[in-house]
Structure formats: structure tokens, C-alpha cells
């Protein structure tokens, strides 16, 4: 029975991720917390924008989608990420959204590549509103990289130093926007920008779903 309940939770979301009330994955009251409020987090280069703070319902939605596979949260999160992209990218060229990759072992454990899926959905969302965008999951994690959660900033920077590599260049003629779920210290985004730079590709901007306010580790 427990297994069936767990599977039902994954597919339908039997309780709201924000307030835990039985019902849809996000109840009407908590849906307000998923309305994008994009802001610039860092001026750059490249500039970094987030659709909201990593707190409250938005935080629960990111964790629910990424860690627990609540896939119905992908659409509202894609709407947030699309708003952050539009906010930060002042470029007339079509866009290539390059997701920061998860560890391959994390992808295996979770059964889906959350960020790549989110990037694809975000690109589709942007096309729906007339912005030519496509996902370009060209980065991969080098092996032997530990999960970032729980590491202090210095450790993160060391851990991620040259930890990402671009398997190929993003499609030419497009402004490259690095996308991620959460920005904390900025180390992951910086590693992605560096990996692209090693391919002579300059990232125009970084867009994330949520940013922590203090720069402290997210969890
Ligand atoms: Zn709720």
C-alpha cells in the first residue's frame, strides 16, 4: 500500500507542496507564491536574474520537483524560469538555454534529469509567447563531483572548479542563457559560464527559478 501511495503522490501530488493540505500539488492559496517576480540578483557579467526568493512555496516547489519528482510542478516552475530569462536577457538574437547539469548519479537516483526537462519546458513556454528559444543541454558534469548540498561556499568553489565541461558548443547564432533552479553562492553558474568560455562561447546571462537572499547554503 505504501508504495502505491508513494507512486500516487509522485504522479498526482495528493497534498499541496506549500501547505500540505490534501488536494492538488499546489492549492489555490499557495499558487500566489509561484507567480514570478523576477529581479536581478547580480549585475554580472554575465547578469544573473531570479524569478523569486528561495523560500516559502517556491522553495517547496523546487524541492518537490527536483528531489521528489512531482512533475506537475514543472509547468509553474518553467513559467518562473521563463520570466527570469526575459528579465535578464536583453538580446535580440534567438536564445539557447543551457541547463546546469546534475550529477549523473543524482539523475539515476531521481529517474529524470530535472533541469534538462525544465529547460526544455521553459524554451517551449518562451516560444508560446513569441520568443525563439530552445534548450541546449551541452554541459556535463565531470565524474567524481560530490553533491553540492551541505557544502560550505569555499568547498563548493573547489568542488566545482573545472567540474563542468561542454560536450559541444550550443547552436550558433543564439544568445546563450545558463539556466538553473537555485542560485546560492553562484559557484554552479560560474562553473557553467567557465565551461562555455573554454569553448569560446560567452554566456549572455544566467537565469534561475529562485535565489537565496543571503548567499548562505540553500539547505
Ligand atoms: Zn497550499
Amino acid at each position: 500500500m505504501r508504495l502505491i501511495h508513494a507512486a500516487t503522490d509522485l504522479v498526482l501530488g495528493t497534498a499541496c507542496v506549500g501547505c500540505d493540505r490534501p488536494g492538488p500539488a499546489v492549492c489555490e492559496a499557495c499558487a500566489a507564491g509561484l507567480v514570478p517576480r523576477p529581479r536581478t540578483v547580480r549585475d554580472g557579467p554575465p547578469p544573473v536574474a531570479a524569478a523569486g526568493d528561495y523560500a516559502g512555496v517556491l522553495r517547496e516547489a523546487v524541492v518537490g520537483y527536483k528531489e521528489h519528482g512531482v512533475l506537475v510542478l514543472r509547468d509553474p516552475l518553467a513559467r518562473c524560469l521563463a520570466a527570469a530569462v526575459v528579465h535578464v536577457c536583453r538580446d535580440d538574437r534567438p536564445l539557447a538555454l543551457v541547463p546546469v547539469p546534475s550529477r549523473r548519479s543524482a539523475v539515476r537516483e531521481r529517474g529524470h534529469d530535472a533541469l534538462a526537462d525544465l529547460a526544455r519546458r521553459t524554451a517551449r513556454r518562451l516560444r508560446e509567447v513569441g520568443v525563439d528559444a530552445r534548450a541546449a543541454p551541452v554541459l556535463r558534469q565531470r565524474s567524481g563531483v560530490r553533491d553540492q548540498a551541505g557544502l560550505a561556499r569555499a568547498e563548493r568553489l573547489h568542488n566545482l572548479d573545472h567540474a563542468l565541461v561542454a560536450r559541444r558548443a550550443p547552436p550558433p547564432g543564439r544568445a546563450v542563457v545558463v539556466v538553473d533552479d537555485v542560485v546560492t553562492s553562484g559557484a554552479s553558474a560560474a562553473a557553467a559560464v567557465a565551461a562555455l568560455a573554454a569553448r569560446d562561447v560567452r554566456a549572455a546571462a544566467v537565469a534561475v527559478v529562485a535565489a537565496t537572499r543571503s548567499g548562505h547554503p540553500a539547505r
Side-chain angles (χ1 to χ4, degrees):
M1 272 310 277
R2 261 188 77 205
L3 216 122
I4 291 170
H5 278 301
T8 310
D9 280 354
L10 291 182
V11 176
L12 300 173
T14 57
C16 170
V17 294
C19 63
D20 225 22
R21 260 193 296 255
V26 182
C27 76
E28 231 172 279
C30 290
L34 294 181
V35 174
R37 293 176 182 82
R39 64 181 169 91
T40 302
V41 177
R42 263 181 221 111
D43 288 329
V48 180
D53 290 339
Y54 190 59
V57 180
L58 191 53
R59 174 185 170 136
E60 296 306 322
V62 167
V63 172
Y65 170 65
K66 195 176 169 185
E67 307 293 338
H68 306 299
V70 185
L71 297 181
V72 293
L73 294 168
R74 187 171 44 202
D75 275 341
L77 291 176
R79 201 165 57 232
C80 287
L81 190 51
V85 169
V86 168
H87 179 84
V88 75
C89 195
R90 294 162 196 91
D91 202 301
D92 291 333
R93 289 175 294 170
L95 305 179
L97 308 185
V98 175
V100 174
S102 313
R103 277 182 314 132
R104 273 167 290 185
S105 61
V107 172
R108 272 200 306 275
E109 284 161 23
R110 292 163 188 155
H112 71 135
D113 189 340
L115 246 299
D117 290 349
L118 184 61
R120 277 189 283 270
R121 190 59 67 101
T122 302
R124 189 202 294 179
R125 172 72 190 158
L126 285 165
R127 291 195 298 272
E128 284 167 4
V129 296
V131 178
D132 182 351
R134 59 184 276 196
V138 298
L139 299 178
R140 70 173 170 80
Q141 195 108 46
R142 286 191 200 278
S143 51
V145 176
R146 288 186 293 161
D147 207 327
Q148 292 294 289
L151 296 186
R153 179 180 155 83
E155 283 181 289
R156 284 175 182 235
L157 288 171
H158 178 73
N159 195 31
L160 279 162
D161 197 21
H162 307 298
L164 300 179
V165 60
R167 287 174 298 175
R168 57 182 186 278
R174 289 176 177 263
V176 170
V177 182
V178 171
V179 295
D180 205 353
D181 52 354
V182 181
V183 68
T184 301
S185 64
S188 303
V193 169
L196 290 164
R199 282 256 177 192
D200 289 326
V201 174
R202 191 183 63 85
V206 177
V208 299
V209 173
T212 55
R213 270 288 175 188
S214 56
H216 291 308
R219 358 177 219 281

